[in-house]
Amino acid sequence: GQQLNQSPQSMFILEGEDVSMNCTSSSIFNTWLWYKQDPGEGPVLLIALYKAGELTSNGRLTAQFGITRKDSFLNISASIPSDVGIYFCAGQLNSGNEKLTFGTGTRLTIIP
Amino acid sequence: DTGVSQNPRHKITKRGQNVTFRCDPISEHNRLYWYRQTLGQGPEFLTYFQNEAQLEKSRLLSDRFSAERPKGSFSTLEIQRTEQGDSAMYLCASSLSVEAFFGQGTRLTVV
């Protein structure tokens, strides 16, 4: 099935550094979601974006819905050890077509 | 805990056997989804229910797969005549609107 392109595929950063990752699609989505997944667990919802151009924050996380509706980015400021995990973007087409199309994931490793 | 609950967490089965997984969604959520996730990939959509009606099925859901949500509450996903390629994490999610909340998943290993 279709998967959105996420970059980078993996990141190794020092604790305290900021992180930036993005997600691109060849098709338009009307809602973008960002999830974090720990090993052996299900994805946990971090941020939801509903409108093109929207910038939304949740604590140290900031995400933006691209103007073209074909991309989104997620920033994490002042990283801490518990930020380690795999981050997935997901796009939803519209109400009435509820399924999510997920990205390929960005694996974040933090060096203490 | 009022989150999405999945059982079992792990299942090891021999090739050719049938398996059934259960998902209990968040109680007020009318929408329920099944996804499959293989190693190194993001979750892929399998099927979606609104209340008891199954509204969409992915091409990934072969004839050996069947999902039900008989009373619009819990759901089951059955795989018949399992194959090694069915080995994956099976994730259930529920929602009231756009924001879907996932369970911890059932990891299936077919040997």
Side-chain angles (χ1 to χ4, degrees), chain A residues 24-102:
Chain A
T24 58
S25 169
S26 57
S27 52
I28 287 171
F29 288 102
N30 288 324
T31 302
W32 285 91
L33 305 169
W34 284 92
Y35 288 86
K36 177 177 181 279
Q37 188 174 29
D38 293 328
E41 302 292 330
V44 174
L45 181 63
L46 299 175
I47 285 183
L49 301 156
Y50 300 100
K51 189 175 170 185
E54 177 183 355
L55 187 72
T56 295
S57 292
N58 178 9
R60 294 179 297 106
L61 307 179
T62 302
Q64 184 156 29
F65 190 148
I67 289 290
T68 65
R69 294 192 284 158
K70 292 184 178 181
D71 63 336
S72 176
F73 74 72
L74 176 70
N75 285 345
I76 306 172
S77 62
S79 59
I80 60 177
S82 62
D83 291 335
V84 165
I86 304 178
Y87 291 79
F88 289 101
C89 61
Q92 190 203 51
L93 188 55
N94 51 38
S95 179
N97 189 350
E98 308 288 346
K99 66 186 178 188
L100 295 175
T101 300
F102 278 82

Side-chain angles (χ1 to χ4, degrees), chain B residues 31-100:
Chain B
R31 295 164 183 168
L32 186 147
Y33 316 80
W34 286 98
Y35 289 82
R36 182 172 71 185
Q37 186 177 26
T38 53
L39 203 59
Q41 301 293 317
E44 293 181 288
F45 171 79
L46 291 178
T47 190
Y48 154 57
F49 291 85
Q50 183 156 330
N51 300 311
E52 65 274 10
Q54 189 173 19
L55 297 186
E56 187 172 351
K57 293 194 289 186
S58 160
R59 288 175 300 166
L60 293 175
L61 214 66
S62 76
D63 290 346
R64 296 183 297 104
F65 288 68
S66 63
E68 295 184 342
R69 195 183 183 198
K71 297 181 181 177
S73 57
F74 74 91
S75 176
T76 57
L77 177 68
E78 181 183 15
I79 308 174
Q80 296 181 326
R81 305 181 303 282
T82 52
E83 302 172 356
Q84 285 189 319
D86 297 331
S87 295
M89 174 82 93
Y90 290 84
L91 293 163
C92 175
S94 71
S95 75
L96 269 179
S97 58
V98 171
E99 298 177 13

Side-chain angles (χ1 to χ4, degrees), chain B residues 4-18:
Chain B
V4 178
S5 175
Q6 290 189 246
N7 288 288
R9 290 290 311 274
H10 304 274
K11 178 72 177 178
I12 299 174
T13 190
K14 290 184 178 178
R15 190 174 50 187
Q17 297 293 306
N18 299 343

